[in-house]
Structures are given as C-alpha cells and as structure tokens.
Amino acid sequence: MPRTSSSPRRRSRLLRAAAALAVLVALAGYMAVQYLSGHKGAPRCTVGPVGEGRTYELSPDQAANAATISAVGTTRGLPERAVTIALATALQESALRNIDHGDRDSLGLFQQRPSQGWGTPEQIMDPVYSSGKFYEHLAEVPGYSRLPLTVAAQRVQKSGFPQAYAKHEPDAALLSAALTGSAPASLSCSLPSEAAGGPGDASEVRADLVRAFGKDVLPSTGSAGAAAASTVSVPVRTDDDATARRGWELAHWAVARAGTLRIDEVSFAGRVWTADTGWRTAREESGAGTVRMRLAQ
C-alpha cells in the first residue's frame, strides 16, 4: 500500500517540476528574442517582399551592420550569393552585432581572431575591414557560389559548429535581396526618438558612403550652398536594369544607416522613405538615376 500511494504523488511532483522548467525555458526564450529584436514599439527594421510574404525583423544597429557587409561585397564585384553567405555567417557568429568579445580572442561581426592572422583587434572591430577580410577568404574557396551555404561559410570560418550557418540562410537571403538592390523598397526602419535630436552632417554621410562603396560612388565634384548641407545626392551612372538595382542598393543602405547618420528622408525612382511612413509613392517624380538623402536639421 505505501508503495502504491507514493507513486502518484511522485509522478505529480515530477509533472509539476517539468511544467515549471518548461515555463522557465519559454521565459528565457522570450527574453532572448526581446533582447535581440527589441520590445513591442521599439525601433526596428523590417525586410521582406512588398505585400504579402515572409519578413524578417532586426534592430537598426543590426541593419546598419548588414548594410555595411553588403556594400563591401558588391563594391568588390561579388555576387548576391556571396553577400548571403557573409550575412548568414555574421548572423550566426555575432547576431549582426559588432561585439568586442567572444570565444578566446574572437572579435567583431565575424568573430575573427587576431591570433589567427585576421588583423589587429582595432582592425577587426571595423565592420568595413572585417567584412573585406571575410570576402577575401571566401573568394579563395573554389566554386563557393555553387556550394551549400554552410559548406562555403565553414571553409572560411573553420567553426566548431559547421552546420550552424544553415539555419540563417532564409533570413540572410531576404537581407541580401534588399541590400544588393534586387528587391526594391523592401527594407524599412523605424528610428529611436532621439534620432531627431540633432542635425545630420552631409560630410559624414559622404565619408561613410565612400568607406562602404569606394570613392567612385560620389561625383568627383560636389555641389555647394545650403542645399548641399541638407541633402546628399548620389547619381547612378547606368541606364539599363543595373540602374534600379544600384539605386535601391544605395537607398536601402541609407535607410539602414538613417539613425546613425541622421537621415530623415530617402528618395529614389518615384518612392520616398521616412521613418514615420516607410516607403510610399512620391508626390513629385525625382530623377530616376539619383538617390537623394535629406538630412535632419
């Protein structure tokens, strides 16, 4: 009799313990998502197809880092697939955050190690430099664009968890389609309220453009006067399908960097973005071959 009566009580205690553990695990998962994506109403970016379809959310800081990774890749003449591989790698290694810590001496977006010849700590913490080093090694992988993403990434990273990159491929593909310009008006960001607290600096925007895309991204001579202080215009020099792709690449870069660079409005190809409205049809058609960034005043 004692053995029979104690067994249900023991099972009941085990069930209660299991239920409590499940609640704790769910709470931990919720808190992790909130940390990475921000609480409801927080500034965030959304990327995905216009209209119905799968979307992906990330913070403005993550979007800005992703835009830099993409810009460095396309400036090197690499295909969209290379950008997808780089973004999936950074999503796994750092959640697209430029962190100053990691396993042993790993640092930055790609968790590159100074002791393994990736550069100095200061270099690796520069997103432009670290992205360039990743692409440099990726380009040495024979046929990387035809390999499964996790295989291509692993041949660069030599990670202890080589299959971990694969789960990020769908999100990385959405991001790369937007940031390389093949998916128009597909990246939009809301911004922190403090983003409107100071004026934008046109010289800073131009310097960031040149760092990410190279010196040929801007015309050799800039305009002068008050308009130049409040607007940065980037011409797109081709007249074929590459015009739209290049233009949307630059426009999405500006949206992703808007909070940092105090960009209030981005316009291209008859569409206008602001943090309050997202992308909408412009009231007045601007030049199809020019991306305009209006800065906060």
Side-chain angles (χ1 to χ4, degrees):
M1 288 294 294
R3 184 173 300 174
T4 302
S5 61
S6 64
S7 180
R9 286 198 299 270
R10 199 160 39 243
R11 285 197 298 270
S12 177
R13 287 196 299 270
L14 288 172
L15 287 172
R16 286 196 299 270
L21 179 60
V23 170
L24 287 173
V25 169
L27 179 60
Y30 173 81
M31 294 299 292
V33 169
Q34 295 304 301
Y35 174 77
L36 291 175
S37 301
H39 60 277
K40 185 177 180 180
R44 65 186 62 199
C45 298
T46 303
V47 61
V50 178
E52 294 185 2
R54 184 177 175 279
T55 61
Y56 173 59
E57 285 192 350
L58 64 170
S59 73
D61 180 61
Q62 291 171 305
N65 287 327
T68 297
I69 292 170
S70 177
V72 173
T74 60
T75 298
R76 288 172 173 248
L78 298 175
E80 185 176 326
R81 178 63 174 172
V83 175
T84 300
I85 295 168
L87 290 171
T89 302
L91 279 165
Q92 170 60 29
E93 297 292 352
S94 68
L96 282 173
R97 298 180 186 277
N98 195 29
I99 52 179
D100 62 358
H101 58 275
D103 178 46
R104 289 169 285 188
D105 59 337
S106 300
L107 297 168
L109 291 170
F110 296 93
Q111 289 292 277
Q112 295 158 339
R113 297 179 60 192
S115 64
Q116 299 301 306
W118 286 92
T120 68
E122 293 76 15
Q123 288 174 322
I124 292 172
M125 288 301 294
D126 174 3
V128 172
Y129 173 90
S130 62
S131 299
K133 293 299 287 185
F134 178 86
Y135 288 122
E136 180 183 310
H137 284 74
L138 180 65
E140 294 175 354
V141 177
Y144 72 84
S145 63
R146 299 186 299 276
L147 293 174
L149 183 146
T150 193
V151 173
Q154 172 64 3
R155 290 190 182 175
V156 175
Q157 297 294 106
K158 299 176 175 58
S159 167
F161 304 94
Q163 298 303 316
Y165 305 107
K167 65 177 178 285
H168 299 289
E169 185 167 1
D171 296 332
L174 280 177
L175 269 173
S176 63
L179 293 170
T180 62
S182 65
S186 58
L187 173 67
S188 187
C189 295
S190 64
L191 300 176
S193 57
E194 61 267 22
D201 183 339
S203 63
E204 183 182 359
V205 175
R206 294 188 185 97
D208 268 31
L209 275 165
V210 170
R211 285 208 74 232
F213 292 98
K215 58 184 176 62
D216 292 336
V217 70
L218 293 172
S220 55
T221 57
S223 56
S230 61
T231 305
V232 174
S233 296
V234 185
V236 183
R237 300 182 180 180
T238 58
D239 296 318
D240 53 20
D241 290 344
T243 302
R245 183 165 179 141
R246 177 64 164 173
W248 283 113
E249 178 183 11
L250 292 164
H252 286 151
W253 176 90
V255 170
R257 300 280 292 147
T260 302
L261 297 174
R262 308 295 197 194
I263 298 173
D264 272 354
E265 181 182 285
V266 180
S267 61
F268 176 67
R271 304 294 296 276
V272 177
W273 170 88
T274 66
D276 292 334
T277 65
W279 287 102
R280 68 184 192 280
T281 301
R283 292 181 181 178
E284 297 180 4
E285 180 72 24
S286 60
T290 301
V291 178
R292 291 191 173 88
M293 309 169 197
R294 183 169 61 79
L295 309 184
Q297 296 300 295

